[in-house]
Amino acid sequence: MTKKTYLQLHSSVQYIKGIGPKRAAYLNRIGVETVQDLLFLIPHRYIDYSQVMKIRDLKINDEATILGRVALATAQRTRTRRSMVKVVLIDETGEIVLRWFNRPDLKTKFENGMRLLVSGKVSFYHGAQMINPLFEGIDDKNGDGFNQGKVIPVYPLTEGLTLWDIKRAVTIALRECCSTVPEILPSRLLEKHALMTRRDALFNIHEPKTVEEARCARRRLVYDEFFFFELILAKRRTAIKDTDGIKMIDKGTRTKELLELLPYDLTHDQKQAIQTIARDMAAPRPMNLLLQGDVGSGKTIVALYAMLIAVENGYQAALMAPTEILAEQHSMVLSPLLEKMNVRVALITSSIRAAERRKILGALQQGTTDIVIGTHALIEGDITFNHLGLAIVDEQHRFGVMQRAALVNKGQNPDFLVLSATPIPRTIALTLYGDLDIATIKEKPPGRGDVITKIIRERDKHDAYKFIRDQLALHRQAFVICPIIERSEKFDLKSVQDIHQEITRAFPEFQTGVIHGRLKTPERIAIMETFRSGRIDILVATTVIEVGVDIPNAAIMLIEHPERFGLAQLHQLRGRIGRGAEKAYCFLLVDTYLKEETYERISFFEKNNDGFALAQQDMKLRGPGEILGKRQHGLPDIRIGDLDADREILFKARDDAFDLISIDPQIASSDHAMVHLHLRALAEQEELLRIG
Ligand code: ADP
Ligand code: MG
């Protein structure tokens, strides 16, 4: 006799009838492991069956959904050698041609007689057609799907699973487990915002009767996501406010000396940022400040100023950068200044030799080194400070929360400053970094022109080369950026070496160099130095130079395969040029064929120079992970909510979360028992939430 096992929220999805190990593996790939994960797999859109149109009624330029049968399916090559899959779809009123370009994977997808639900834009080419429409096969054999409701959820699909596999599994999960999904919000919040219960929300998100119902359900789940995200921030913030820190006063001895040594005046925004920092450092609680400013806005010198305040007060300061190249650069730029002031500075990276390292460690421990600059090598266990007063993290999105915490823990509640070059609007920043105070540098140092950016088609590459040649002849320097080191069969991308060869051939009269992450440190330093000194004209590089690198004479950048990068990353890359007085140019080399949305993204980048606008757009397209540092911020993922479109819910959730913590800092009241439990569950899931 087989024992009947009951499906539970934490059961593996493989135990859902009809799934099994093989399909479960496919679900795992989209992050769905348990029944609960499946319930929280949110449809990314809905097809409103009541809106399905008849083919006869379609008009050119309509965005439409139709339902029909495949009458003919063929695969062919176009005259320009693109692969094309063509389907003639019929319903009882007429026919339409569907064409998919560059989707050879679809060749075997369609069979005559198969029912398809298709949505896309109607255009005209020897009759009505849709190009690259979205489609779902309607599983006739089981006759389900359409019989269930008028609004069909569409899930993020994964290879090996049809929409109907997912729908069926979700239906079972809802029926068997949804009643055990607990309510996690206090009822006063549900009432305040007219939110449905969590259970209802799950039912309605998967099986809505109307699109409006699905929208309300989503609103509830988005609220939850934001609320708990903010709750963690609120908790962290109060924890910091209750901690004793170090008071350090801007005495104006060292700091004034610095200002006199600089060959330029600080910008208004830099001064403002310094004021904020000085105020927070002087306060009796630990500073916890985010300094955000666009690439090239001059954050480094502000950071140095802060470090000098620490030194003036008899404390040590540490500056941690995400790459060796950047740490080396900071050391090279800052050391001469510091030496003039008799401030003792050291550099620690993982490629420093053992004997040297021992010496530095000794000096740090004895307090005879004032400032240390380094990579994550700074947080290794055997490094101890004598009296660390200020910890700074540059390009904070490149570090995990653990690494940031490890640096801070090298001192006793030191002040903490994080620098970010992916600026986001203040309202959003306050919400995302709710545990930090924020200072923003908006203006750039004077005399900088905007970088002129231009998309270049592969076939027009030689025009760009000619332009670059003329610029190089004026003794400017260029970067050529390549997304990968090794050649990749899968993506058909050129390797750094391929591109280097090509560039060397195209520019025989100029010196070229290559730099990437697999080079040994001394070699890499040598190449950076040669480039900095102007003896290399064109540097072919991977993204090792993405952050922080500052070479004012580099005025040109050519980016190969820009489609491989996100907007914020492209902006970082482009931020390497336009740092001098010369006009700077950035070329984006694209293949002739690019997906429309990819092209749109790149062309958004072409038209926008403002880091704020780009970061916001990136957030919209790729979620906040990209901005916050993916899975590194020690906060739950925001998967359902959209920081831009749902910002109203975000702000409400933030206020509610901060209110809750102010009335019940420990989340201990009986009203909040479920809040507390859910927070704990999230923390276990993330393992990281308690830190930071
Ligand atoms: P980021 O904010 O991207 O870290 P950096 O700190 O590297 O920018 O500064 C970029 C460049 O601008 C550096 O060469 C720096 O010397 C220069 N710079 C910084 N502040 C000023 C200023 N007030 N006036 C002129 N140049 C400045
Ligand atoms: Mg920087």
Side-chain angles (χ1 to χ4, degrees):
M1 200 179 84
T2 51
K3 206 171 79 193
K4 172 139 176 67
T5 50
Y6 292 96
L7 214 49
Q8 294 182 340
L9 286 173
H10 294 285
S11 309
S12 157
V13 278
Q14 79 173 75
Y15 300 118
I16 298 177
K17 191 168 162 279
I19 292 291
K22 195 161 153 235
R23 289 196 169 126
Y26 288 125
L27 279 170
N28 292 169
R29 281 198 208 159
I30 48 172
V32 174
E33 307 207 337
T34 63
V35 172
Q36 172 160 303
D37 294 339
L38 184 68
L39 287 176
F40 283 89
L41 180 70
I42 305 302
H44 53 78
R45 62 191 184 96
Y46 294 87
I47 295 168
D48 191 344
Y49 189 37
S50 63
Q51 303 290 315
V52 169
M53 294 181 66
K54 294 293 172 217
I55 293 177
R56 183 183 52 207
D57 300 330
L58 296 177
K59 284 194 279 305
I60 306 301
N61 288 332
D62 273 355
E63 291 279 352
T65 299
I66 50 179
L67 176 66
R69 271 182 201 283
V70 175
L72 180 73
T74 55
Q76 48 196 251
R77 287 213 168 253
T78 64
R79 257 173 290 142
T80 53
R81 310 287 308 144
R82 290 153 84 189
S83 91
M84 182 183 84
V85 173
K86 179 177 149 186
V87 163
V88 177
L89 193 81
I90 54 170
D91 69 5
E92 66 279 14
T93 68
E95 68 173 59
I96 183 168
V97 177
L98 315 174
R99 291 188 169 89
W100 287 272
F101 291 99
N102 279 18
R103 290 287 307 273
D105 57 304
L106 296 183
K107 262 186 213 163
T108 53
K109 265 250 149 68
F110 304 111
E111 285 163 33
N112 285 355
M114 186 178 179
R115 280 176 69 190
L116 289 183
L117 190 60
V118 178
S119 50
K121 189 171 175 177
V122 183
S123 56
F124 190 86
Y125 178 77
H126 302 304
Q129 68 162 1
M130 284 186 183
I131 304 284
N132 297 344
L134 299 168
F135 69 94
E136 311 292 345
I138 306 294
D139 196 338
D140 256 351
K141 282 174 293 220
N142 301 308
D144 53 4
F146 276 110
N147 307 329
Q148 285 179 2
K150 291 235 180 281
V151 179
I152 317 286
V154 180
Y155 294 92
L157 276 191
T158 169
E159 180 200 337
L161 290 168
T162 68
L163 179 61
W164 309 106
D165 292 331
I166 296 183
K167 253 186 80 61
R168 254 193 306 272
V170 167
T171 304
I172 294 172
L174 281 172
R175 296 295 171 289
E176 294 194 21
C177 295
C178 202
S179 61
T180 60
V181 170
E183 183 49 66
I184 53 178
L185 289 181
S187 47
R188 86 185 127 82
L189 288 180
L190 295 187
E191 279 156 32
K192 180 172 167 195
H193 302 300
L195 296 169
M196 60 177 83
T197 66
R198 204 160 153 86
R199 253 169 247 170
D200 286 349
L202 287 175
F203 265 104
N204 288 332
I205 203 115
H206 294 296
E207 297 180 354
K209 286 193 269 312
T210 60
V211 171
E212 175 59 17
E213 212 171 68
R215 202 189 60 79
C216 289
R218 182 177 171 283
R219 189 167 146 261
R220 161 70 214 249
L221 298 177
V222 169
Y223 179 92
D224 285 0
E225 212 172 50
F226 287 152
F227 179 78
F228 282 90
F229 186 96
E230 293 299 326
L231 201 60
I232 289 160
L233 293 178
K235 262 192 90 172
R236 280 192 201 165
R237 192 177 178 95
T238 31
I240 291 160
K241 295 246 193 253
D242 286 345
T243 310
D244 288 332
I246 308 164
K247 279 198 224 178
M248 292 183 277
I249 312 289
D250 182 355
K251 297 184 173 157
T253 50
R254 305 282 194 190
T255 49
K256 205 151 149 240
E257 213 181 329
L258 170 69
L259 297 185
E260 278 158 13
L261 281 172
L262 287 180
Y264 48 77
D265 291 329
L266 295 181
T267 62
H268 169 82
D269 283 1
Q270 283 173 318
K271 287 183 196 153
Q272 199 92 41
I274 283 174
Q275 257 181 28
T276 308
I277 291 171
R279 186 198 64 207
D280 283 9
M281 288 181 75
R285 63 178 177 90
M287 170 170 82
N288 207 27
L289 188 85
L290 167 73
L291 173 61
Q292 57 169 359
D294 210 341
V295 284
S297 61
K299 294 182 293 292
T300 314
I301 220 66
V302 173
L304 177 61
Y305 191 104
M307 291 197 280
L308 290 174
I309 296 181
V311 174
E312 278 177 356
N313 285 270
Y315 285 92
Q316 293 169 301
L319 170 61
M320 180 161 77
T323 64
E324 285 203 4
I325 290 185
L326 187 51
E328 282 149 12
Q329 173 184 291
H330 281 330
S331 159
M332 215 170 49
V333 172
L334 303 184
S335 298
L337 286 168
L338 292 169
E339 266 155 34
K340 283 193 197 133
M341 292 184 251
N342 291 320
V343 173
R344 297 155 301 186
V345 56
L347 172 70
I348 297 190
T349 64
S350 40
S351 40
I352 287 189
R353 275 195 307 269
E356 169 85 8
R357 187 169 183 277
R358 258 196 307 278
K359 243 173 59 192
I360 298 174
L361 260 53
L364 270 179
Q365 189 168 17
Q366 277 151 31
T368 49
T369 288
D370 305 304
I371 289 179
V372 62
I373 296 168
T375 55
H376 50 271
L378 278 181
I379 52 180
E380 272 164 33
D382 59 345
I383 295 183
T384 50
F385 287 78
N386 191 284
H387 42 269
L388 179 66
L390 172 67
I392 305 182
V393 171
D394 193 10
E395 308 289 350
Q396 60 89 24
H397 66 288
R398 300 284 296 256
F399 288 100
V401 69
M402 294 285 210
Q403 292 167 313
R404 295 194 293 247
L407 185 64
V408 169
N409 288 336
K410 295 281 179 194
Q412 286 199 324
N413 302 330
D415 283 340
F416 184 44
L417 174 65
V418 297
L419 311 184
S420 164
T422 34
I424 50 179
R426 197 177 163 77
T427 42
I428 300 270
L430 276 172
T431 312
L432 288 187
Y433 302 107
D435 54 339
L436 298 172
D437 294 303
I438 296 172
T440 305
I441 302 183
K442 274 225 153 113
E443 63 187 328
K444 292 201 178 169
R448 303 249 188 92
D450 269 350
V451 178
I452 295 163
T453 306
K454 209 164 159 29
I455 295 178
I456 301 284
R457 297 285 182 173
E458 185 72 37
R459 58 169 182 264
D460 301 327
K461 180 153 81 178
H462 290 279
D463 298 344
Y465 280 3
K466 181 176 178 314
F467 184 90
I468 294 175
R469 195 167 292 120
D470 293 345
Q471 290 286 313
L472 294 176
L474 299 169
H475 299 294
R476 283 163 206 158
Q477 290 167 283
F479 286 109
V480 174
I481 306 295
C482 166
I484 52 160
I485 300 180
E486 303 277 344
R487 184 201 290 272
S488 149
E489 292 296 329
K490 191 167 163 211
F491 298 114
D492 192 23
L493 299 178
K494 286 176 276 186
S495 73
V496 149
Q497 300 305 344
D498 296 340
I499 292 175
H500 183 222
Q501 275 176 17
E502 194 181 318
I503 293 289
T504 310
R505 246 181 275 124
F507 296 90
E509 69 276 42
F510 292 105
Q511 291 301 316
T512 62
V514 194
I515 193 162
H516 55 77
R518 297 223 188 116
L519 293 180
K520 291 253 158 52
T521 309
E523 197 179 346
R524 218 183 44 226
I525 294 181
I527 291 170
M528 272 328 272
E529 270 333 286
T530 325
F531 188 57
R532 198 180 294 276
S533 70
R535 279 171 290 140
I536 289 177
D537 303 293
I538 311 177
L539 187 61
V540 178
T542 57
T543 52
V544 286
I545 59 110
E546 175 185 336
V547 291
V549 169
D550 184 47
I551 296 177
N553 192 47
I556 301 131
M557 177 171 281
L558 175 78
I559 304 181
E560 296 256 2
H561 296 292
E563 73 278 4
R564 305 284 303 164
F565 301 106
L567 284 175
Q569 202 181 8
L570 282 172
H571 189 58
Q572 281 277 351
L573 283 168
R574 181 171 58 185
R576 299 313 116 221
I577 59 170
R579 294 177 156 248
E582 309 296 350
K583 251 208 174 92
Y585 301 89
C586 176
F587 298 106
L588 309 166
L589 195 60
V590 302
D591 274 340
T592 316
Y593 179 77
L594 272 187
K595 271 205 248 149
E596 192 170 313
E597 70 234 38
T598 311
Y599 189 84
E600 266 168 27
R601 177 160 54 92
I602 296 173
S603 104
F604 186 88
F605 177 72
E606 183 188 30
K607 294 189 197 82
N608 278 282
N609 247 317
D610 173 18
F612 284 83
L614 286 162
Q616 210 172 354
Q617 183 73 6
D618 213 20
M619 236 163 24
K620 218 188 233 172
L621 295 176
R622 315 214 294 178
E626 212 55 40
I627 306 294
L628 295 172
K630 195 132 192 109
R631 293 216 125 255
Q632 299 224 320
H633 36 82
L635 291 163
D637 258 355
I638 292 182
R639 295 179 307 136
I640 312 175
D642 174 326
L643 290 173
D644 198 44
D646 299 319
R647 64 164 78 197
E648 238 169 87
I649 310 177
L650 175 60
F651 295 154
K652 280 182 190 152
R654 175 190 155 86
D655 289 348
D656 294 339
F658 277 74
D659 278 354
L660 189 146
I661 293 297
S662 75
I663 54 174
D664 183 10
Q666 301 305 320
I667 319 183
S669 86
S670 60
D671 268 3
H672 299 150
M674 287 316 289
V675 173
H676 190 97
L677 267 180
H678 187 65
L679 201 60
R680 277 249 303 273
L682 279 176
E684 272 162 29
Q685 215 172 310
E686 297 284 327
E687 283 176 38
L688 293 170
L689 298 181
R690 302 194 142 269
I691 301 137

